[in-house]
Amino acid sequence: MANHKQVAFAGRTNAGKSSLLKALIPEMKLIKPSKKPGFTRKIYCYGIGNKPGRELIMSDLPGYGYGSTTEQGDVILEYLRTAASLKMVYILMDSRVLEMPSDKQVIALLDNYGIPWQIIGTKIDRAKSGDPAHVLDMLMRFSKASRKGAMGASETFYKDEIIVTSDKTMVGINELKWSIMRHSGLVSE
């Protein structure tokens, strides 16, 4: 898979990364979501497609924050520094616990490395407000505040394109699939 494209899913522990990947590719039986924070301890890469130039790798990164380890952080940093075919990092934020300092740190790191990122709100069906529009507004404010803090951020970053999702009700899953295909170059705009 020399010409493969890659997208990664990052987020705090228990943000729903593995569950969202399971919703995106339900036929992938290897994906094992867990309710235990910090369950994903290493990077899991899932390959999709078998036509030359049309392969896609979706990487499930270990969570950061509560329940994570320094070693997991080192693994994530090394991955971000060396993944030359990485087209996008989707930053998953649990709709029940929207903004944490660790999210800002990861965004600053991605901006520093020049890696495009996009915020994905997860577990929208379980949001405390019960209002997807409210969650979307909060995520948009966070994204704009993060952009203001980013030194030299390029317009190629997709900070204002926020998708809210639910792995239970499948809200936003098709929009996320389209985003993945578009940002990885598998379809043109």
Side-chain angles (χ1 to χ4, degrees):
M1 280 210 204
N3 295 326
H4 70 273
K5 288 130 176 88
Q6 211 170 141
V7 298
F9 294 84
R12 294 185 308 267
T13 57
N14 218 26
K17 296 175 295 297
S18 299
S19 297
L20 189 63
L21 273 163
K22 184 85 171 158
L24 287 167
I25 38 177
E27 62 276 2
M28 188 69 69
K29 304 296 183 209
L30 296 173
I31 302 172
K32 304 285 186 208
S34 172
K35 292 185 190 304
K36 180 183 174 194
F39 182 76
T40 303
R41 297 229 172 254
K42 46 189 164 178
I43 298 172
Y44 291 93
C45 298
Y46 304 99
I48 302 169
N50 58 5
K51 293 182 183 172
R54 309 281 299 164
E55 299 96 349
L56 174 67
I57 304 293
M58 297 172 74
S59 300
D60 184 2
L61 304 181
Y64 50 83
Y66 177 79
S68 65
T69 65
T70 302
E71 291 79 21
Q72 286 170 262
D74 292 343
V75 166
I76 294 169
L77 288 173
E78 183 65 19
Y79 169 81
L80 293 174
R81 277 198 303 267
T82 60
S85 62
L86 185 60
K87 302 298 181 190
M88 176 68 69
V89 174
Y90 292 97
I91 301 171
L92 278 53
M93 296 178 72
D94 186 334
S95 296
R96 301 170 300 174
V97 187
L98 287 174
E99 181 182 333
M100 298 293 280
S102 56
D103 295 313
K104 290 182 180 180
Q105 292 168 344
V106 168
I107 287 169
L109 180 75
L110 293 171
D111 283 336
N112 187 46
Y113 287 161
I115 300 170
W117 55 268
Q118 180 177 343
I119 293 175
I120 305 297
T122 60
K123 306 178 186 183
I124 192 65
D125 55 307
R126 293 171 264 171
K128 291 177 184 173
S129 72
D131 179 11
H134 172 73
V135 171
L136 191 56
D137 182 59
M138 296 298 290
L139 290 172
M140 186 68 75
R141 288 175 197 229
F142 174 77
S143 178
K144 286 183 179 180
S146 298
R147 178 181 17 199
K148 286 179 185 170
M151 300 292 282
S154 155
E155 288 303 311
T156 61
F157 292 70
Y158 301 93
K159 298 173 182 164
D160 292 332
E161 186 182 319
I162 295 170
I163 301 171
V164 292
T165 63
S166 167
D167 64 289
K168 303 286 188 242
T169 65
M170 303 303 279
V171 166
I173 299 301
N174 286 335
E175 291 86 349
L176 181 53
K177 285 179 181 180
W178 177 251
S179 175
I180 292 166
M181 291 188 313
R182 196 173 76 234
H183 294 306
S184 63
L186 294 175
V187 296
S188 57
E189 300 203 35

